[in-house]
Amino acid sequence: MSQMPQQAPVSKCPSCEEPLEPGDRFCGACGYDLSVVPARPEDSPTVVMNGAAPGPGPARDEVDWPTARDSDGQGRPAPVHAAAELPGTDSGGSPLPSQEPSAPEEPAREPGRESAQEHSSGVRLDRPAEPDEYPLQAPAPRSAPEPAAAAPAAGAGGKVCVACRAGRVDRDGYCENCGHAQPRERDHMEQESGPVAAVSDRGLRHHRNEDAFSVGCTALPDGAPATVAIVCDGVSSATRPDDASLAASRAAGESLLGALPRGTHPQQAMHDAILAASHAVNALAAEPATAREQAPHQNAPACTLVGAVVTAGLLVVGWVGDSRVYWVPADRATPPARLTEDDSWAAQMVAAGLMSEAEAYADERAHAITGWLGADAYELEPHTASFKPDRPGVVVVCTDGLWNYAESAQEMAEATPLDAAVRPLHSARVLVGHALDGGGHDNVTVALLPFPAPPQGAGSA
């Protein structure tokens, strides 16, 4: 519990500022009666946690403070904003002209399940112990303003609060009336493009979604269909991980959809797409000098990437990091398979024969990634592989927010609906729900691609 600091005793006369001695009742210089100096009010601090109402009292009930933002999960408060980052007013009380911020409004290093650390060995520790993050809750809203007063806010083009439906939403995403945090656009995303679909969700512990995806369908030079899915997972210890994943997914998706119709082999197209994604993430590190002055110790934006290309007879996968691709055949009597190998500490231990897979992934260092996209990556090694399945099925492309709850290929197959190939969007929702039901400790993103790629125009039922 924090307490207000006590006021110091009066040391100068309020009338002539003559120094006083302890216990003086009158000023020795001007005779001022010191008993009229207001006594220090009784210290009774108010503590509000998780949006709980403050203690009783008329003075407190008139003020409705919004809930404080999350701490860093270790008992320390969130970073304090610099004065230049906060909106101000001129001497007349009018808002200053808006200026584009030189740095993102979200804190660079967010608390949560990923608290990556970098080591000279080229390993990025991606998951130590997970402190709980307390969800923001809205305090009791103030009395709703008169309709005439609320109308100008909506009419001026500002967003209206989804909770009280009366207050205007400020630039930080909070209602100015009730203090309720508004949902972000990336908290939950869904997209369907022909026969391929993807769903991404913030999860239950992270305060924002640092995953991103890109899906699409195109045609090869001979007219045969091709579907594409890219899934990226931002590294939470990095600066602007959400920007990194978004830039990488867009660059890789655009590269693939541009190269395949020109006749580029899908495996070569995937390799080039990963390089394009890497260049896009590297470009984010070139921040303005003003941003570096305000936060000189920020590291480079970073993310992982995994993708798949499906044609009529070929399946190509590519990845950097620990997101995965699974093959789930339509005939569930046929064994499923994992098609990627993690760039992680655990995978290295297993590959070297030093630990079994169960032992490695039970270790607290298991999710230390050894490959990622970003200007601080020691060496970019895009992985690509091609397969020719002999039967129909569905390709599952996902971040570890899903496979943490269905790690083996068999577990992933059991979580995937039987009709996933004909209802990919519905099935992607089911898989995201599986992760949320399991605890939702991380952002969850999954894309589903039926194999073989159906003819152009075919979609989910």
Side-chain angles (χ1 to χ4, degrees):
M1 178 185 296
S2 60
Q3 296 185 354
M4 298 292 293
Q6 296 186 355
Q7 297 179 350
V10 178
S11 60
K12 293 184 180 180
C13 174
S15 176
C16 65
E17 297 190 350
E18 180 71 10
L20 301 174
E21 295 293 334
D24 284 351
R25 298 178 58 187
F26 296 90
C27 176
C30 67
Y32 186 84
D33 186 0
L34 300 176
S35 64
V36 302
V37 178
R40 179 178 61 84
E42 182 182 358
D43 183 14
S44 55
T46 300
V47 178
V48 182
M49 296 182 65
N50 290 341
R60 295 174 192 158
D61 292 342
E62 295 174 359
V63 181
D64 192 9
W65 299 105
T67 305
R69 295 176 184 263
D70 295 75
S71 72
D72 63 357
Q74 302 296 329
R76 297 184 295 270
V80 178
H81 290 286
E85 300 174 356
L86 301 177
T89 59
D90 59 21
S91 58
S94 302
L96 295 174
S98 60
Q99 298 179 356
E100 291 298 325
S102 59
E105 62 185 42
E106 293 294 340
R109 295 174 182 259
E110 295 296 340
R113 65 95 186 160
E114 291 187 53
S115 178
Q117 304 169 6
E118 295 168 47
H119 292 263
S120 59
S121 61
V123 175
R124 199 159 198 155
L125 292 184
D126 212 19
R127 187 191 305 267
E130 304 172 351
D132 288 347
E133 293 192 6
Y134 298 97
L136 293 174
Q137 301 178 9
R142 303 186 182 103
S143 300
E146 296 295 329
K159 294 182 180 179
V160 177
C161 175
V162 299
C164 68
R165 307 301 301 171
R168 187 177 68 86
V169 179
D170 63 19
R171 292 173 59 187
D172 291 332
Y174 289 82
C175 176
E176 294 180 344
N177 176 57
C178 69
H180 196 285
Q182 305 300 296
R184 298 181 179 90
E185 180 181 358
R186 288 179 64 176
D187 279 359
H188 186 87
M189 302 179 291
E190 297 184 358
Q191 185 179 349
E192 189 174 25
S193 180
V196 58
V199 176
S200 181
D201 191 89
R202 176 173 63 94
L204 304 180
R205 298 295 183 88
H206 263 292
H207 84 290
R208 68 175 175 182
N209 190 357
E210 297 171 357
D211 289 355
F213 65 81
S214 175
V215 295
C217 53
T218 185
L220 302 179
D222 61 358
T227 56
V228 170
I230 295 291
V231 169
C232 296
D233 184 356
V235 178
S236 286
S237 72
T239 304
R240 300 158 60 194
D242 51 338
D243 290 344
S245 63
L246 184 62
S249 62
R250 286 178 174 175
E254 292 173 358
S255 178
L256 283 171
L257 293 176
L260 293 173
R262 295 196 301 265
T264 306
H265 190 280
Q267 192 165 357
Q268 181 63 47
M270 177 62 74
H271 182 275
D272 296 343
I274 296 176
L275 295 181
S278 175
H279 295 324
V281 177
N282 291 349
L284 297 177
E287 295 180 334
T290 53
R292 291 194 296 271
E293 291 173 359
Q294 293 184 6
H297 302 298
Q298 291 182 349
N299 52 8
C303 69
T304 65
L305 179 148
V306 66
V309 175
V310 172
T311 68
L314 187 66
L315 164 59
V316 171
V317 300
W319 73 97
V320 174
D322 61 349
S323 294
R324 295 179 177 180
V325 178
Y326 291 85
W327 163 249
V328 179
D331 177 11
R332 297 303 170 88
T334 304
R338 196 178 97 196
L339 306 182
T340 58
E341 291 293 335
D342 299 343
D343 288 324
S344 69
W345 179 91
Q348 285 190 343
M349 294 298 102
V350 175
L354 300 177
M355 303 176 73
S356 69
E357 186 170 358
E359 293 172 336
Y361 281 96
D363 193 282
E364 62 180 6
R365 297 165 291 181
H367 289 272
I369 56 176
T370 58
W372 63 88
L373 302 181
D376 61 348
Y378 289 87
E379 183 177 359
L380 176 62
E381 295 183 1
H383 309 291
T384 62
S386 60
F387 305 88
K388 292 184 178 181
D390 60 354
R391 63 199 67 204
V394 65
V395 181
V396 180
V397 184
C398 65
T399 61
D400 58 349
L402 171 59
W403 67 251
N404 276 328
Y405 301 98
E407 187 166 341
S408 69
Q410 186 60 43
E411 290 173 329
M412 185 63 70
E414 293 173 356
T416 304
L418 295 174
D419 59 353
V422 295
R423 302 179 66 193
L425 181 57
H426 166 77
S427 300
R429 293 168 177 163
V430 170
L431 288 173
V432 169
H434 176 78
L436 298 181
D437 291 343
H441 283 66
D442 195 3
N443 305 145
V444 188
T445 302
V446 57
L448 295 181
L449 305 88
F451 179 90
Q456 289 288 345
S460 61

